[in-house]
Amino acid sequence: MSHPTHKTFLITGVSSGLGRAFAQGALAVGHTVAGTVRRPEDRAAFEALAPGRAHARLLDVTDDDAVVRVVRDVEEGVGAIDVLIANAGYGLEGVFEETSLADLRAQFDVNVFGTAATVQAVLPYMRARRRGHILAVSSMGGLASFPGVSAYCGSKYAVEGILEAVGKEVAGFGIHVTAIEPGSFRTDWAGRSMVRAPRSLPDYDEIFEPIRAARQSADGRQLGDPAKAAAAVLRVLDLPRPPAHLVLGSDALRLVRAGRAAVEEDLNTWEELSRSTDFPDGAQIGGPALPARTS
């Protein structure tokens, strides 16, 4: 087992982007990282980052059985997984009407079901040990939606809901769960890693074309520093009460707060109508009946 100052990580999607930054940050301070890659040629490059402590595994997170096998292999061959960072995912750009259902399903297969499969695979080990920290990369688009990335935001909203509920289910086992909500970072997410739905409907040009142009022009000049994101994630791992939501970037803070304020405004404006649907003697759910988070 790992001692308190040394942890074994499993991080999915370490070939580039935030996944690579998280892995490099953990390796730099002496942790062991098992990182998953999609291409055989990426294995040697990852393991060269820290020979003996960087362990690459080939994995397609949409292959449920392979996820289980890789987690078991890491547990048996690398070490007990203290920290999972489910990072593998991609962005799908396009207005909803122009986004095919096949592309929407593919987005959810990776971003939602790939994350869910990885979390499910590590939970039995962490539950048996009564410790662990599960983190998954969501997005500021999982707490506030934006036009032009409806499929992506939908997938990240789903991740948020799953993680928040799982965190309440496993808190009594000493397992922490954190959703990471990055803003714009200098990765390939908005560049070559972005899948773009083909344009076909001129009615959306006015709202969508400026959004696409702005995203493309900002690629490479984003506000967020991936190394600083990694440092922030490492900082919360040893806290007795780590956050359930870790928003990264001042742009994410601004936009998430604006999105939350819009929801709050609807709650306040339509409160009377909301209350009008109750039975007078109906039973209330929630509140004290739900288990509280424990340290």
Side-chain angles (χ1 to χ4, degrees):
M1 282 190 184
S2 301
H3 60 77
T5 59
H6 173 272
K7 292 181 171 62
T8 297
F9 287 63
L10 172 60
I11 306 176
T12 60
V14 297
S15 297
S16 62
L18 286 177
R20 184 60 157 239
F22 295 148
Q24 289 176 315
L27 291 168
V29 295
H31 297 304
T32 295
V33 178
T36 73
V37 298
R38 290 287 305 274
R39 302 180 304 175
E41 57 266 32
D42 291 331
R43 296 184 67 163
F46 180 72
E47 292 186 340
L49 293 176
R53 290 189 295 111
H55 305 268
R57 296 292 186 271
L58 284 174
L59 179 64
D60 176 354
V61 295
T62 66
D63 184 336
D64 299 345
D65 293 336
V67 171
V68 172
R69 288 196 300 271
V70 165
V71 169
R72 181 173 61 244
D73 176 60
V74 171
E75 284 275 339
E76 295 175 354
V78 178
I81 298 168
D82 301 299
V83 179
L84 165 68
I85 304 181
N87 163 77
Y90 70 97
L92 173 59
E93 181 189 75
V95 296
F96 185 74
E97 193 176 352
E98 293 180 333
T99 301
S100 71
L101 290 179
D103 284 345
L104 180 62
R105 288 190 179 97
Q107 178 83 119
F108 274 63
D109 277 346
V110 175
N111 290 5
V112 181
F113 292 104
T115 296
T118 311
V119 172
Q120 277 197 343
V122 302
L123 270 175
Y125 300 99
M126 290 185 175
R127 178 169 50 80
R129 291 189 289 266
R130 291 301 197 261
R131 64 176 175 83
H133 197 153
I134 292 169
L135 304 97
V137 177
S138 174
S139 168
M140 62 180 176
L143 294 176
S145 62
F146 307 99
V149 281
S150 53
Y152 179 74
C153 289
S155 72
K156 294 305 186 179
Y157 264 74
V159 169
E160 292 283 343
I162 291 170
L163 292 180
E164 192 168 301
V166 170
K168 294 169 182 175
E169 291 173 355
V170 303
F173 307 141
I175 303 171
H176 302 297
V177 179
T178 298
I180 304 169
E181 293 99 1
S184 59
F185 277 78
R186 291 188 193 179
T187 68
D188 290 329
W189 182 86
R192 63 182 178 87
S193 296
M194 175 75 74
V195 174
R196 292 179 165 86
R199 294 300 324 279
S200 59
L201 302 172
D203 280 349
Y204 290 105
D205 289 352
E206 184 176 353
I207 187 171
F208 182 64
E209 288 306 319
I211 293 171
R212 172 173 281 180
R215 183 177 291 120
Q216 290 175 330
S217 67
D219 187 32
R221 301 186 298 108
Q222 292 95 329
L223 186 65
D225 180 343
K228 291 180 179 179
V233 168
L234 290 171
R235 183 175 173 182
V236 306
L237 294 182
D238 291 318
L239 298 178
R241 288 181 58 85
H245 301 277
L246 180 61
V247 175
L248 298 178
S250 60
D251 55 347
L253 279 174
R254 174 175 55 84
L255 293 167
V256 168
R257 281 175 171 155
R260 292 286 168 156
V263 173
E264 187 70 19
E265 182 178 358
D266 275 349
L267 293 177
N268 293 334
T269 301
W270 300 102
E271 180 175 358
E272 183 178 349
L273 186 61
S274 299
R275 294 183 182 278
S276 72
T277 62
D278 289 356
F279 277 112
D281 58 348
Q284 286 281 357
I285 64 170
L290 291 176
R293 292 183 70 211
T294 59
S295 59

